[in-house]
Amino acid sequence: MKTNLPESFIPDKAFLFKGVPVYFTDRGSGPAVVFLHGFLENKEIWNDFAEALASTNRVLCIDLPGHGKTGCLSYVHSMELMAEAVYLIVKKLRIKRCKLVGHSMGGYVALAFAEANPEIVTGLCLFHSTARADTEPKKTDRNRAIQVVKKSPSLFIKEVIPNLFYTTKQKPLKRLIAKTIAIALKTPKQGIIAALEGMKIRLERELIIRFAPYPVLFIIGKHDKIIPYEGLFEQAALPENSKTVVANCGHMGFYEAPEKTLAAVKEFVKE
Ligand code: MLT
């Protein structure tokens, strides 16, 4: 049958979780890799990585609750609740083992998943993410952010997104910042609040990486203003099988340093 869709078009699929469809894409075949996006993002941010890996791996990219096409489930989306949604997809697809790649909040969800399902996880990539909990000042910032979002989600988004990038001046990045803002503006107000509330109460999970029986990859942005790079080296020293890649970027390495970060993820997935 002829369609007008581009050849690379990957249809979204969904499974119901607590009555709400959780959307994802499923490409390629081979050992499974699950990609989890960060706060205010959606599964599309992984498109280039997923395309690049689909010739060797089965690649799932999931819209976490309250993001992308996946609706909200609760006032608070705890990392554990989001991880349950991920588990549902993995289970329904009968995937026995997988690697997880989580950007920032996606990394917090990956850690919660790894804690609950150690037998499934064969590798964990914390992509500009941390196993530490929010500090008290960070919690206060989250409360402030929630008040701003309640008044004006778009104001919040336009303030927050440029800050994720190392520089906002380079021309190619301007297009990516605009793209990131466009994705973020599609996030419903309740999705933003639920994620902020969830991140605020998330648990410290250093023990998960310390005793990880699988490889842990840290991708670190040298100029990341969200997850400062100093504290990450201490964490990267914890797992027995750990690798650290430092990219010359802010918090958005998949856009700011795509070659270096994709090469690191390819290597991790191959191991
Ligand atoms: C993210 O990019 O997912 C968030 O900014 C992480 C955070 O706020 O802790």
Side-chain angles (χ1 to χ4, degrees):
M1 189 178 66
K2 263 198 152 197
T3 73
N4 293 326
L5 296 170
E7 229 170 83
S8 58
F9 177 78
I10 304 291
D12 283 355
K13 297 178 181 171
F15 289 124
L16 279 185
F17 174 61
K18 297 184 188 284
V20 172
V22 178
Y23 287 86
F24 63 97
T25 51
D26 185 0
R27 301 167 161 88
S29 59
V33 192
V34 177
F35 280 87
L36 303 174
H37 62 75
F39 177 51
L40 299 173
E41 298 167 357
N42 66 26
K43 57 181 161 29
E44 287 170 35
I45 63 144
W46 296 120
N47 279 351
D48 291 346
F49 278 53
E51 287 301 319
L53 292 173
S55 55
T56 50
N57 292 83
R58 183 170 191 183
V59 185
L60 303 182
C61 301
I62 300 175
D63 276 343
L64 291 170
H67 287 73
K69 288 166 77 174
T70 302
C72 295
L73 294 157
S74 162
Y75 177 71
V76 182
H77 288 157
S78 66
M79 301 304 106
E80 293 78 9
L81 183 72
M82 298 218 220
E84 264 187 68
V86 174
Y87 175 71
L88 173 98
I89 292 171
V90 168
K91 195 172 142 212
K92 289 254 185 204
L93 295 175
R94 300 199 177 148
I95 291 172
K96 297 268 179 297
R97 314 211 70 200
C98 64
K99 286 189 168 146
L100 297 163
V101 179
H103 177 234
S104 202
M105 182 185 79
Y108 311 155
V109 176
L111 283 160
F113 183 99
E115 180 166 59
N117 310 287
E119 73 290 353
I120 299 180
V121 180
T122 53
L124 181 63
C125 168
L126 296 180
F127 200 131
H128 306 323
S129 194
T130 172
R132 293 191 179 157
D134 271 5
T135 57
E136 285 311 312
K138 184 83 188 183
K139 287 183 186 177
T140 307
D141 284 352
R142 302 257 192 230
N143 287 334
R144 255 190 242 122
I146 289 164
Q147 293 318 313
V148 178
V149 175
K150 283 187 175 164
K151 285 198 195 113
S152 172
S154 59
L155 183 75
F156 173 73
I157 286 165
K158 285 174 194 159
E159 268 179 23
V160 160
I161 300 289
N163 211 30
L164 304 179
F165 292 79
Y166 171 34
T167 164
T168 51
K169 299 212 170 57
Q170 284 171 11
K171 233 185 174 174
L173 279 183
K174 280 192 179 162
R175 188 181 54 80
L176 291 168
I177 294 169
K179 182 174 158 181
T180 310
I181 291 178
I183 289 178
L185 286 172
K186 289 192 212 149
T187 316
K189 187 195 253 193
Q190 181 48 38
I192 304 176
I193 295 170
L196 286 166
E197 294 281 7
M199 288 192 284
K200 187 178 76 184
I201 57 162
R202 78 179 188 282
L203 301 177
E204 188 255 313
R205 288 200 161 90
E206 286 197 346
L207 286 181
I208 300 303
I209 52 172
R210 182 159 166 213
F211 294 106
Y214 40 72
V216 182
L217 169 65
F218 287 82
I219 296 183
I220 300 177
K222 203 164 178 185
H223 309 282
D224 190 340
K225 288 167 248 166
I226 312 297
I227 312 282
Y229 109 124
E230 298 81 7
L232 288 174
F233 287 102
E234 285 166 26
Q235 291 180 51
L238 295 175
E240 201 178 292
N241 184 349
S242 164
K243 190 170 171 194
T244 304
V245 171
V246 180
N248 191 25
C249 62
H251 191 60
M252 303 295 274
F254 44 88
Y255 285 159
E256 296 175 281
E259 281 170 26
K260 183 154 192 176
T261 56
L262 175 59
V265 171
K266 270 190 175 166
E267 189 68 33
F268 162 75
V269 155
K270 218 166 53 180
E271 264 174 46

